[in-house]
Amino acid sequence: MEKRFTPAAKTKEELKALQLEGLKWTVKLAYKGSPFYRKRLDEAGIKPSHIRSLNDLSKLPFTTAKDLQEGYPFPLLSVPFEKVVRIHASSGTTGKRKVLCYTQKDIDEWAHFFARCYEMAELNREDRVQIAVGYGVWTAGVGFQLGCERFGAMAIPVGPGNVDMQCQFLIDMQTTVMCCTASMGLLMAEEVHRRGISDQINLKKMIFGSERSSDAMRAKIKEMLGLEHLFDIPGMTELYGPGTGLDCVYHTGIHYWADYYILEILDPETLKPVPAGETGEMVVTTLRKEAAPLIRYRTRDLTRLISGKCPCGSILPRHDRLLGRSDDMIIFRAVNIYPGQIDHVLSGIEGIGSEYQIILDRKEDGKDYMTVKVERAEGVEKERERELSRKIGDEIKKQILVSANVEMVEYGALPRSERKSKRVFDNREF
Ligand code: ZN
């Protein structure tokens, strides 16, 4: 099928030229239109004319979530109100909520690059896309829907939860693609299984947004539903919403839309680039965003860049799935641990389920202790618990260099949620 949503740039050089043009445009727009950015740039001694190459990006000051909160309710606004056609907000209490403005150009471009996600996932216009994420002030529902309509497939806007209706629509509408969180994906897989409706549905692909998911969890969902592909879609309200990248059908990492934003991977402590391929914080600078452009926005999300060429031939660069948030980092006996590392260890072990919890306690001896609760996989006998827990403990020790008590529980014992599952319980008092 003819590709309609690929970048205007055909080579890496053209992509860089496009980025430089976008960077110059963004700094100029922000300097001219936003008192916040003008002040920030003046303090850093930067004028728009100082941006002459992509290397000049490193001279620009950072923007943080705190800047968004302080600018509430219309932070970073860089155009007159008459050009604003919509707002979206992230979850959080008033004042902590991030509100972002959009112009019509922003909305159109978001729909365009979201359509690219469906194109990259190799959907066609016959596909029926059940959208089971939140609608309302959130970016999720409307983002998935606009992208789907722009692409030309059929959107089925069910929204989150409502498992009965989800199952009914999978049968009645013969949905081929479902968009939801990974937790919801697992819940659906288990429901379809429990209700015995596998042979009445036509689901082929799932697209997961807004949550990290372990390899084990994904493998389980894929197997239970007999899916061809599972895709990961990253996104945050600050950067339009979901749809800012997707792993292609080769699943070698997430291609991200480098014609819409520049991604830097920086050490969260030093704010210098990490060595190639190492994990660091994602820092984004938008290239076309009008109402609320981002200049070196610290996302707090952790990932790493993936080098080399993808078999799909796309020139769009790749980053790994999200490893967690720099805020979620656990400091345990002087070792920095990201929950994603535990995911990674567990996903390499056969015989266990995808759900887990990390519990941290401080005991009378003043030392910290970590307990990792893990479910046995479905159908695995209780007799194997001792062997499995020893294996998990050994792997955690080997890969993360810490000791953990491993507690096995039966399949289905840990809570499932339609939204993000809470996995870290830190009971230590500081
Ligand atoms: Zn690819």
Side-chain angles (χ1 to χ4, degrees):
M1 200 168 75
E2 178 213 355
K3 296 240 193 299
R4 293 175 296 143
F5 301 100
T6 48
K10 296 291 165 236
T11 63
K12 291 208 161 170
E13 290 65 38
E14 282 177 27
L15 187 58
K16 283 202 166 130
L18 212 61
Q19 287 186 329
L20 178 58
E21 190 190 322
L23 181 63
K24 286 178 174 172
W25 178 85
T26 298
V27 174
K28 203 181 204 173
L29 171 94
Y31 192 81
K32 194 165 155 253
S34 152
F36 163 81
Y37 274 128
R38 177 182 284 254
K39 182 163 176 283
R40 208 34 91 74
L41 289 162
D42 278 342
E43 282 164 3
I46 307 279
K47 295 263 178 287
S49 61
H50 294 168
I51 305 299
R52 293 188 199 99
S53 81
L54 286 176
N55 293 330
D56 293 326
L57 177 65
S58 63
K59 295 178 184 161
L60 294 168
F62 292 96
T63 318
T64 63
K66 195 160 157 270
D67 295 324
L68 264 74
Q69 282 150 17
E70 285 172 2
Y72 184 88
F74 303 114
L76 316 185
L77 185 63
S78 301
V79 297
F81 272 106
E82 65 190 39
K83 289 195 76 179
V84 175
V85 299
R86 193 196 290 172
I87 64 144
H88 278 294
S90 67
S91 49
T93 51
T94 313
K96 290 210 164 160
R97 197 168 278 156
K98 294 166 195 156
V99 180
L100 278 302
C101 294
Y102 297 70
T103 64
Q104 189 58 51
K105 173 179 181 283
D106 294 334
I107 300 282
D108 287 343
E109 294 188 338
W110 182 23
H112 179 86
F113 70 66
F114 207 131
R116 183 187 291 171
C117 295
Y118 294 116
E119 185 169 85
M120 192 163 258
E122 299 190 352
L123 269 64
N124 61 53
R125 292 185 196 178
E126 304 283 307
D127 272 300
R128 299 168 180 195
V129 184
Q130 190 157 322
I131 300 167
V133 296
Y135 277 82
V137 79
W138 327 122
T139 50
V142 70
F144 276 96
Q145 180 163 342
L146 285 182
C148 180
E149 291 168 357
R150 179 68 61 95
F151 176 75
M154 182 171 92
I156 307 170
V158 182
N162 208 343
V163 174
D164 281 335
M165 194 199 270
Q166 304 287 1
C167 289
Q168 194 64 52
F169 276 24
L170 285 182
I171 297 170
D172 295 352
M173 308 299 158
Q174 289 292 292
T175 301
T176 55
V177 181
M178 187 158 178
C179 307
C180 54
T181 62
S183 300
M184 176 82 182
L186 181 61
L187 196 77
M188 287 304 298
E190 291 175 337
E191 275 301 311
V192 165
H193 197 65
R194 196 178 65 79
R195 295 174 190 223
I197 54 171
S198 303
D199 55 351
Q200 297 169 56
I201 66 172
N202 190 27
L203 197 59
K204 295 184 168 67
K205 294 170 183 173
M206 268 189 171
I207 302 178
F208 293 149
S210 79
E211 191 190 31
R212 284 180 305 111
S213 55
S214 70
D215 291 339
M217 182 175 182
R218 301 160 63 80
K220 178 158 185 66
I221 297 168
K222 192 162 176 241
E223 191 209 308
M224 283 181 91
L225 289 170
L227 301 176
E228 291 166 8
H229 289 284
L230 294 180
F231 298 95
D232 267 309
I233 207 160
M236 65 189 103
T237 310
E238 301 92 305
L239 188 59
Y240 300 87
T244 49
L246 194 90
D247 52 333
C248 67
V249 294
Y250 293 94
H251 306 294
T252 58
I254 294 168
H255 288 284
Y256 66 89
W257 310 155
D259 49 341
Y260 284 89
Y261 62 100
I262 296 175
L263 175 63
E264 297 175 89
I265 305 289
L266 305 182
D267 181 316
E269 299 290 324
T270 65
L271 297 177
K272 297 283 178 234
V274 297
E278 284 188 20
T279 300
E281 181 176 329
M282 301 172 82
V283 174
V284 295
T285 301
T286 56
L287 301 170
R288 308 173 65 95
K289 202 163 177 271
E290 217 173 32
L294 300 178
I295 294 179
R296 300 194 92 195
Y297 178 70
R298 295 190 56 188
T299 67
R300 307 280 170 184
D301 284 323
L302 300 164
T303 194
R304 62 186 189 97
L305 290 178
I306 294 172
S307 56
K309 206 168 163 56
C310 182
C312 76
S314 171
I315 59 157
L316 290 163
R318 289 166 295 162
H319 66 71
D320 206 344
R321 293 215 297 268
L322 302 189
L323 244 170
R325 294 186 50 82
S326 56
D327 309 331
D328 291 342
M329 187 175 76
I330 303 162
I331 302 179
F332 176 73
R333 298 197 177 189
V335 179
N336 295 354
I337 302 171
Y338 302 113
Q341 291 176 286
I342 302 277
D343 269 4
H344 185 75
V345 168
L346 297 180
S347 61
I349 298 171
E350 168 276 328
I352 59 176
S354 53
E355 294 301 297
Y356 67 94
Q357 291 181 347
I358 302 167
I359 299 138
L360 300 163
D361 292 296
R362 182 162 294 163
K363 297 202 175 151
E364 291 87 40
D365 61 6
K367 289 184 185 160
D368 292 351
Y369 291 85
M370 183 193 296
T371 303
V372 180
K373 271 194 193 178
V374 186
E375 287 186 0
R376 295 197 304 270
E378 201 172 9
V380 169
E381 322 79 58
K382 195 165 170 49
E383 289 69 49
R384 286 190 61 198
E385 282 194 352
R386 183 183 288 226
E387 165 223 330
L388 287 170
S389 63
R390 193 181 309 134
K391 203 176 208 174
I392 295 167
D394 288 351
E395 283 301 312
I396 290 176
K397 180 98 197 168
K398 199 165 97 193
Q399 297 186 35
I400 313 179
L401 310 174
V402 297
S403 296
N405 309 312
V406 180
E407 204 182 303
M408 300 296 302
V409 296
E410 66 178 313
Y411 178 76
L414 295 176
R416 263 71 170 155
S417 140
E418 287 160 10
R419 293 179 61 81
K420 299 178 190 184
S421 300
K422 182 170 165 63
R423 302 194 191 280
V424 180
F425 297 85
D426 194 345
N427 305 320
R428 298 172 298 177
E429 282 174 22
F430 290 97

